Amino acid sequence: MLSILIPTYQYNVLPLVKELHQQCSNYKVVFEILVMDDASPELVVDHLQLASLPFCTYLSLDKNIGRAAVRNKLAAKAKYANLLFLDADVWPKDHLFIKRYVNLCNDLANKVYFGGYCYTYKSVNESNSLRYFYGKAREEQLADVRNLNPFAFVFSGNFLVDKECFLALKIPDINVYGMDIYVAYLLQKNKCNVQHINNEIIHLGIEANQLFLKKALVSVAYRKENWLHIPEIVEVNKLLKCYKKLNIPFVNRFMKVAFLVTNQPLKSLFLKPKPYLWAFDLYRLLYLFK
């Protein structure tokens, strides 16, 4: 028995829901699919068809609350104990996607399985190259690699978890980009058994470069202000780890000046068709000293 939970915002999830519905039906899975729209400013007309699909429920919020809060609401509404969380802008890599997760449902107590991400060159263009190459290099990793440092590869767009385990995490309803790192901390704090498997989704909704940069800077600033005191988070987050080591008076002053001098040259290196990710990393690190 499986509850598939999909938060969405201004994105057409009907094709994804139909694919998941077909896979569940093919393997005779007892399932439900819950889709919750986070107060999209415009109606996605295709979503009106969701309610006509068997075992599918479409819910729409009047006020935008953020993806973490939507996931909490979906988990509370789910009727089954096995929860599969998926982002709206993804696609199963193959037709065995659901079957692989269902095979794990009988042994899910206090376990969380992350299937992983992959990227297709068909999604990349000059306007979204930074997000694409970042995802390709940093997120698209085989399970053997992810399991070497399991809490560093917690991506909430594709994971299977026991309902009781998920609700016990008490993930705060914070509407901020980059919450996955805090979810990883809660999993570690609650002694959850995190395992990575090769059951990837293809990430289709690649943000434009300027939007991704804006979100990334908001995220690193939020981490610095709110999570720098948490050792488990600092240990798995390279930017915070580096910042904490360098944040001494003399170095701090030097880094502030370095950001003023180098921020535009660095941007020219990562806001290009084939970005240099080291420049993106350095830019974000220097930004923390701004």
Side-chain angles (χ1 to χ4, degrees), residues 137-170:
R138 304 291 171 78
E139 297 171 356
E140 184 179 303
Q141 301 288 344
L142 292 175
D144 286 347
V145 174
R146 287 181 273 132
N147 278 317
L148 294 175
N149 193 5
F151 295 103
F153 291 95
V154 169
F155 303 134
S156 54
N158 176 25
F159 72 103
L160 179 72
V161 61
D162 174 72
K163 180 175 180 176
E164 183 178 347
C165 175
F166 180 83
L167 293 177
L169 296 177
K170 297 181 179 178

Side-chain angles (χ1 to χ4, degrees), residues 3-36:
S3 291
I4 302 174
L5 310 178
I6 307 174
T8 185
Y9 178 79
Q10 207 60 42
Y11 195 92
N12 186 358
V13 298
L14 181 62
L16 172 63
V17 170
K18 284 185 173 180
E19 172 64 21
L20 298 170
H21 197 283
Q22 186 64 55
Q23 288 197 23
C24 288
S25 299
N26 288 346
Y27 296 111
K28 296 180 172 54
V29 178
V30 177
F31 73 99
E32 66 169 347
I33 301 176
L34 304 183
V35 176
M36 184 173 287

Side-chain angles (χ1 to χ4, degrees), residues 119-135:
Y119 290 79
T120 171
Y121 72 92
K122 295 177 182 178
S123 299
V124 67
N125 55 57
E126 289 189 9
S127 69
N128 65 11
S129 56
L130 177 60
R131 182 66 184 95
Y132 171 82
F133 283 103
Y134 181 88

Side-chain angles (χ1 to χ4, degrees), residues 25-202:
S25 299
N26 288 346
Y27 296 111
K28 296 180 172 54
V29 178
V30 177
F31 73 99
E32 66 169 347
I33 301 176
L34 304 183
V35 176
M36 184 173 287
D37 185 286
D38 193 13
S40 295
E42 298 179 13
L43 174 68
V44 179
V45 178
D46 280 354
H47 287 175
L48 299 176
Q49 300 179 41
L50 292 172
S52 65
L53 288 173
F55 317 115
C56 183
T57 302
Y58 174 67
L59 304 161
S60 183
L61 300 177
D62 295 326
K63 180 182 177 181
N64 183 270
I65 60 175
R67 197 176 300 180
V70 172
R71 287 199 184 101
N72 287 336
K73 283 183 174 293
L74 285 168
K77 289 182 177 293
K79 68 169 70 170
Y80 301 126
N82 306 309
L83 310 181
L84 173 57
F85 284 96
L86 296 173
D87 278 351
D89 59 349
V90 305
W91 192 262
K93 190 175 181 180
D94 60 37
H95 68 281
L96 297 176
F97 177 78
I98 289 294
K99 185 178 182 181
R100 291 191 190 95
Y101 274 135
V102 169
N103 288 341
L104 298 170
C105 286
N106 291 329
D107 184 30
L108 199 53
N110 204 45
K111 290 182 180 177
V112 187
Y113 290 95
F114 290 90
Y117 278 40
C118 67
Y119 290 79
T120 171
Y121 72 92
K122 295 177 182 178
S123 299
V124 67
N125 55 57
E126 289 189 9
S127 69
N128 65 11
S129 56
L130 177 60
R131 182 66 184 95
Y132 171 82
F133 283 103
Y134 181 88
K136 193 79 174 169
R138 304 291 171 78
E139 297 171 356
E140 184 179 303
Q141 301 288 344
L142 292 175
D144 286 347
V145 174
R146 287 181 273 132
N147 278 317
L148 294 175
N149 193 5
F151 295 103
F153 291 95
V154 169
F155 303 134
S156 54
N158 176 25
F159 72 103
L160 179 72
V161 61
D162 174 72
K163 180 175 180 176
E164 183 178 347
C165 175
F166 180 83
L167 293 177
L169 296 177
K170 297 181 179 178
I171 299 171
D173 292 341
I174 300 172
N175 190 4
V176 64
Y177 186 77
M179 270 294 289
D180 285 351
I181 187 173
Y182 192 76
V183 173
Y185 159 67
L186 292 176
L187 289 169
Q188 194 170 0
K189 180 182 176 183
N190 283 266
K191 295 181 170 55
C192 299
N193 185 352
V194 171
Q195 297 187 25
H196 293 268
I197 63 171
N198 293 317
N199 197 25
E200 300 88 349
I201 47 84
I202 301 169

Side-chain angles (χ1 to χ4, degrees), residues 219-228 240 243 288-289:
S219 177
V220 295
Y222 187 90
R223 294 179 210 175
K224 171 189 165 184
E225 294 300 321
N226 296 277
W227 300 336
L228 192 62
L240 286 184
Y243 171 79
L288 290 175
F289 291 90

Side-chain angles (χ1 to χ4, degrees), residues 239-279:
L239 279 178
L240 286 184
K241 193 173 185 178
C242 192
Y243 171 79
K244 196 163 187 178
K245 286 183 178 179
L246 296 174
N247 190 27
I248 53 178
F250 171 76
V251 177
N252 191 299
R253 290 193 295 271
F254 172 79
M255 298 294 261
K256 286 181 179 179
V257 174
F259 180 78
L260 293 174
V261 173
T262 66
N263 76 89
Q264 289 302 324
L266 286 173
K267 285 175 77 172
S268 70
L269 290 174
F270 63 76
L271 293 177
K272 57 189 297 186
K274 290 190 177 180
Y276 291 100
L277 294 181
W278 64 264

